[in-house]
Amino acid sequence: MEGNREEALRCLSLAKKCFAEGNLEKAAKFAIKSKRLYPSVKATELIREINERQKCDNKENKSTTPENNVRNRKATNSNSENDTTTTSQSRNYTQEQLNAVKRIKSCKNYYETLGVSKDASKADLKKAYRKLALQLHPDKNLAPGASEAFKVVSNAFGVLNDEQKRQRYDQFGEEKDLPSSHYHDYHYSNEFESDISPEDLFNMFFGAGTFPAGSRVYVNRNYRTRNRQRYHQEPDEPTTFSWLPALQFVPILLIFFMGLISPLLVDPSPYSLSRSMYYPNTRTTVDGINYFVASNFEKKYSSDKIQEIESDVKREYLGLLQERCWRDKRQQELLIHQARLWGDERKVEGYKSMTLRSCNELQQLVS
């Protein structure tokens, strides 16, 4: 408990500052957190003052005349009729998409948001995020609140996928005992936010070209602001020389020197599929495959040995073509999948008819 005292005092100071500025919501959050970390009389008194202020504000908001209430009801009914008409005219989302957004808004913690258990692995988190991100991305889901739901899902994954943040979230993250019903919808603490924006996280999983330009995923300015504050709040430490960064380059230097002296220790390969200072001369096999040899190649090897070498060249080149062909087919499948996701049959047919040069060349050599 004593180890949390410093953090509790910091939260209490922030709560007093927010209370003085009139931000009761943040003041309550920090005051409760301070009391949870290290119970104190000051934190309890501050929570009581926040509750009293909130009750006074509710009484002032309710003290309106009957005439104003009638006017407000008429204006509200008129606006609601207009909104209903506009919504019915411009609604282009399904009930399933709207239900998905409502489910996210009703969740009370990050595990419930992603639909996983508290002992879920990182693979389970990634699988759940992929499904929800594609379902709630605002360029695909146009239901009201889809953008906020998408950011909540991204933030939940960003926190739970980080081991340290997840450990702290499991210990302090769920704000269940807030002082009044005014705060019962406040489920996500600003202390537990992802360090990466929802847009950047989505691009990491699906690529920047998954959705067209003009995406409606708005980046929360708190990501950049919080990182800047974290940078400026770090105290200046005296600069001392350390050998640890230099030691990190030792393995790289060893590999570099081993590459330089390896030709002197072992018999080099008689050929290469790429030109270099050791293999400057070009030769061609009977199958039309170009390979490169040293200057003394013909003097060093007999005709029978050269035929064996060219057989090795063909075998290695076929393996290289197989790898390139597999990579080209994989890229083609990804493009077709993205086109089908957007329902663009013209692009699907175009990607199916792509020319795979490596595959064609491989087929010619094999046949």
Side-chain angles (χ1 to χ4, degrees):
M1 185 67 72
E2 287 293 335
N4 298 331
R5 184 174 184 179
E6 184 177 352
E7 180 68 14
L9 293 176
R10 187 185 71 87
C11 292
L12 183 61
S13 177
L14 291 174
K16 292 180 178 180
K17 181 180 179 182
C18 295
F19 182 74
E21 294 175 352
N23 193 339
L24 301 182
E25 186 174 337
K26 283 190 175 181
K29 177 178 72 70
F30 285 117
I32 291 174
K33 186 173 182 180
S34 175
K35 183 178 179 181
R36 179 182 299 173
L37 293 173
Y38 190 86
S40 63
V41 177
K42 292 183 179 180
T44 303
E45 292 179 354
L46 182 59
I47 293 175
R48 181 178 55 78
E49 292 180 5
I50 293 173
N51 285 333
E52 293 178 357
R53 175 74 65 84
Q54 189 266 336
K55 291 179 182 178
C56 294
D57 291 346
N58 289 340
K59 290 181 180 180
E60 292 179 0
N61 293 333
K62 292 181 180 179
S63 61
T64 55
T65 62
E67 182 180 358
N68 289 335
N69 290 335
V70 173
R71 292 179 181 177
N72 291 335
R73 283 198 299 271
K74 289 182 178 180
T76 303
N77 293 335
S78 177
N79 292 335
S80 61
E81 291 176 359
N82 294 335
D83 293 342
T84 303
T85 303
T86 304
T87 304
S88 61
Q89 292 176 353
S90 61
R91 174 174 176 175
N92 51 359
Y93 56 88
T94 64
Q95 185 64 34
E96 182 181 359
Q97 292 175 329
L98 182 60
N99 291 339
V101 174
K102 290 181 178 180
R103 189 194 73 81
I104 297 299
K105 289 186 176 181
S106 65
C107 294
K108 297 182 179 181
N109 59 66
Y110 289 159
Y111 293 100
E112 185 180 354
T113 298
L114 295 179
V116 297
S117 60
K118 289 193 175 183
D119 58 348
S121 63
K122 287 193 175 183
D124 296 332
L125 295 176
K126 292 179 180 179
K127 182 178 179 181
Y129 171 77
R130 287 192 185 97
K131 179 181 177 181
L132 292 173
L134 290 175
Q135 185 181 22
L136 294 170
H137 194 285
D139 282 342
K140 186 178 180 181
N141 189 335
L142 302 180
S147 179
E148 292 299 325
F150 176 75
K151 288 190 286 187
V152 169
V153 169
S154 302
N155 193 57
F157 174 80
V159 171
L160 298 183
N161 194 51
D162 187 295
E163 294 183 0
Q164 294 182 354
K165 286 180 177 288
R166 183 175 181 175
Q167 184 177 5
R168 286 184 57 80
Y169 178 77
D170 291 340
Q171 186 177 4
F172 304 114
E174 298 179 14
E175 302 289 344
K176 292 183 177 179
D177 50 352
L178 293 177
S180 70
S181 60
H182 179 72
Y183 306 108
H184 83 282
D185 288 332
Y186 187 84
H187 303 307
Y188 302 101
S189 171
N190 291 333
E191 290 292 314
F192 299 99
E193 290 186 354
S194 173
D195 291 332
I196 186 172
S197 69
E199 183 181 12
D200 292 338
L201 179 61
F202 184 86
N203 291 339
M204 288 174 59
F205 271 83
F206 304 100
T210 302
F211 291 99
S215 172
R216 297 188 297 114
V217 184
Y218 304 110
V219 180
N220 189 350
R221 290 178 295 179
N222 290 336
Y223 291 105
R224 297 188 177 93
T225 304
R226 187 173 64 257
N227 289 335
R228 285 199 302 267
Q229 291 176 349
R230 184 183 305 168
Y231 173 80
H232 289 298
Q233 288 175 357
E234 292 180 354
D236 295 335
E237 298 180 355
T239 303
T240 58
F241 181 77
S242 175
W243 286 98
L244 291 179
L247 292 177
Q248 296 176 359
F249 294 96
V250 171
I252 300 176
L253 294 176
L254 289 177
I255 295 174
F256 176 75
F257 286 116
M258 287 297 295
L260 291 179
I261 65 175
S262 59
L264 303 176
L265 300 177
V266 297
D267 188 19
S269 174
Y271 70 93
S272 175
L273 295 180
S274 59
R275 187 190 300 272
S276 66
M277 60 181 295
Y278 299 106
Y279 306 99
N281 298 335
T282 306
R283 289 180 61 89
T284 305
T285 66
V286 293
D287 298 309
I289 302 174
N290 293 330
Y291 66 101
F292 302 90
V293 298
S295 301
N296 61 344
F297 178 78
E298 296 180 356
K299 296 180 180 180
K300 187 175 181 179
Y301 300 103
S302 62
S303 58
D304 294 337
K305 184 62 176 178
I306 290 176
Q307 289 181 0
E308 293 180 5
I309 292 174
E310 290 189 349
S311 297
D312 294 338
V313 170
K314 182 178 180 179
R315 189 179 302 107
E316 182 178 350
Y317 189 68
L318 287 176
L320 182 63
L321 284 179
Q322 287 177 347
E323 182 179 354
R324 291 177 180 174
C325 178
W326 179 86
R327 192 162 53 242
D328 292 344
K329 287 183 178 180
R330 178 61 178 167
Q331 180 65 21
Q332 183 186 38
E333 292 175 357
L334 291 175
L335 293 174
I336 293 174
H337 176 73
Q338 290 182 356
R340 283 177 177 168
L341 182 64
W342 285 100
D344 194 337
E345 293 297 331
R346 183 179 61 83
K347 286 188 176 182
V348 172
E349 297 300 326
Y351 291 142
K352 286 183 178 180
S353 60
M354 286 176 58
T355 301
L356 305 179
R357 297 181 180 179
S358 299
C359 298
N360 294 341
E361 186 177 356
L362 177 63
Q363 186 176 6
Q364 292 176 1
L365 288 175
V366 173
S367 60

